[in-house]
Amino acid sequence: MPARRAIFVAPFGELAEARVLARLAAASEAAGWDGFFLWDHLVYTATREVADPWVAMAAIACATERVRIGPLVTPTPRRRIQKLARETVTLDRLSGGRLVFGVGIGGNRHGEFVPFGDPGDPRERARLLDEGLDRLVELWGGEFAPSPAQTPRIPVWVAARWPNRRPLRRAARWDGLFPVELPGPDELAQLVAEVQELRDGAGGPYDVVVTNPPGTDRAPWEAAGATWCLTGFGPAPTEAEVMEAIEAG
């Protein structure tokens, strides 16, 4: 099966406006794209202009009807899980069941953890991520009401930075893998094989998500196991270049 296609942008600079992001998402839906995903950062060293992705996704949900939406990725260790549960369910219901929840431990290279009093140690963030996801499922599962629009729950994609293998075990427990900084399709094929072994015949759909610049040939990535091919634009996107990629298909 051909991989699904999505636009993947940082809500930075001139894209730090929810109206602009909603307009681009509507254009991508009209052009036949399958998804529209956002980076999730509090601060970023390359720019001071950063939008909140969750507020922006609410605008995107109201401007579209079909495309999948979601953060790639939210570092749950810097979030209060009960608040995140309310946000994810509200957004999933607002979008008619189109939310994908991308998660990871995050990194402190841009000063998003320690300066705000959040844990800087990666192992502690990994522990908090696992603990938080388990708690989130409990809250989605009936402890909070209403429940998500999707059943049995909102899909969770787990990030893994190449060549780190530790996140693969976590990703195998959930609904998808989002490897970043991959050298190429051959390395993706390695990760896909390892996750399949870890899943040990587990049923249900499973997504493998990659991001590449505009114009990248998707065929080698699809052959390596990608189910989603995202078109990304780095930390300094412009509305014009994103629109150009959307219209190019």
Side-chain angles (χ1 to χ4, degrees), residues 155-159 170-179 195 199 205-209 227:
V156 175
W157 291 349
V158 176
R170 176 182 302 114
R173 294 178 51 218
W174 297 97
D175 309 296
L177 170 68
F178 178 45
V195 168
R199 284 175 58 78
Y206 193 83
D207 283 309
V208 178
V209 187
T227 65

Side-chain angles (χ1 to χ4, degrees), residues 60-223:
I60 290 168
C62 292
T64 58
E65 296 181 352
R66 181 186 55 80
V67 290
R68 279 279 184 175
I69 63 175
L72 293 178
V73 295
T74 292
T76 61
R78 64 167 166 79
R79 300 296 306 275
R80 292 174 65 85
I81 292 300
Q82 62 270 31
K83 182 67 166 64
L84 193 56
R86 289 297 192 201
E87 291 171 347
T88 50
V89 169
T90 301
L91 186 55
D92 193 49
R93 295 177 70 89
L94 177 65
S95 66
R98 292 184 283 134
L99 178 64
V100 176
F101 186 40
V103 300
I105 68 168
N108 203 44
R109 69 176 74 177
H110 302 289
E112 296 183 89
F113 283 85
V114 174
F116 296 98
D118 293 313
D121 178 62
R123 292 184 180 180
E124 175 63 7
R125 295 202 305 271
R127 184 190 69 79
L128 290 171
L129 172 56
D130 290 329
E131 181 181 279
L133 284 174
D134 290 340
R135 181 66 179 133
L136 194 61
V137 170
E138 292 174 350
L139 294 168
W140 286 345
E143 192 166 333
F144 276 180
S147 58
Q150 298 180 79
T151 56
R153 57 170 171 75
I154 297 165
V156 175
W157 291 349
V158 176
R161 189 178 303 278
W162 176 268
N164 188 4
R165 295 305 206 269
R166 289 184 179 179
L168 297 186
R169 189 169 298 278
R170 176 182 302 114
R173 294 178 51 218
W174 297 97
D175 309 296
L177 170 68
F178 178 45
V180 295
E181 298 183 359
L182 279 173
D186 290 344
E187 288 75 18
L188 177 65
Q190 293 177 30
L191 297 184
V192 169
E194 291 174 32
V195 168
Q196 287 176 342
E197 184 176 352
L198 288 167
R199 284 175 58 78
D200 192 26
Y206 193 83
D207 283 309
V208 178
V209 187
V210 297
T211 180
N212 283 297
T216 299
D217 182 6
R218 291 188 293 269
W221 297 93
E222 292 172 342

